[in-house]
Amino acid sequence: GTVAATCRLGWKQRAGVEVYADNLALTITETYLQVTDERGEQPPQPVDPDDAKRAVDRAFVDAVLGVGSDVRAPYSDALRTHRLACMIAGSAAKGTLIAH
């Protein structure tokens, strides 16, 4: 996988993820979902960014409270992801590689 980020712009240029599996590619952004499969690229399906943000926030709060079973990742994975994000931000701020 690849993680890319920049702090050079004064605005958010793009936030999303691309997922690839056997005979399937998904592009998921804050505003749409696009599926490409053996039939080709399907029309993008709009997503309401506010609905998506509320759903993510609700899932996070529920996980912290121990409500339900919608925990998406073990705590150890979430902590590793957080540390990676901090290293990326630190590297950008200092203009040098921060390795762990």
Side-chain angles (χ1 to χ4, degrees), residues 8-93:
R8 300 298 301 164
L9 302 175
W11 65 91
K12 180 169 53 174
Q13 178 64 25
R14 180 175 58 180
V17 64
E18 294 179 2
V19 178
Y20 301 97
D22 292 341
N23 301 312
L24 181 68
L26 302 174
T27 301
I28 305 163
T29 74
E30 293 178 313
T31 57
Y32 71 89
L33 163 67
Q34 185 152 29
V35 177
T36 303
D37 58 19
E38 64 275 354
R39 298 170 294 167
E41 191 173 87
Q42 307 304 310
Q45 301 297 310
V47 173
D48 181 340
D50 290 332
D51 286 347
K53 290 174 188 171
R54 276 190 293 275
V56 168
D57 289 348
R58 178 79 266 156
F60 175 77
V61 169
D62 286 348
V64 169
L65 295 174
V67 175
S69 61
D70 192 26
V71 176
R72 313 274 170 105
Y75 181 80
S76 60
D77 288 352
L79 182 58
R80 285 190 358 234
T81 300
H82 172 72
R83 287 180 176 152
L84 173 62
C86 289
M87 285 189 291
I88 291 169
S91 290

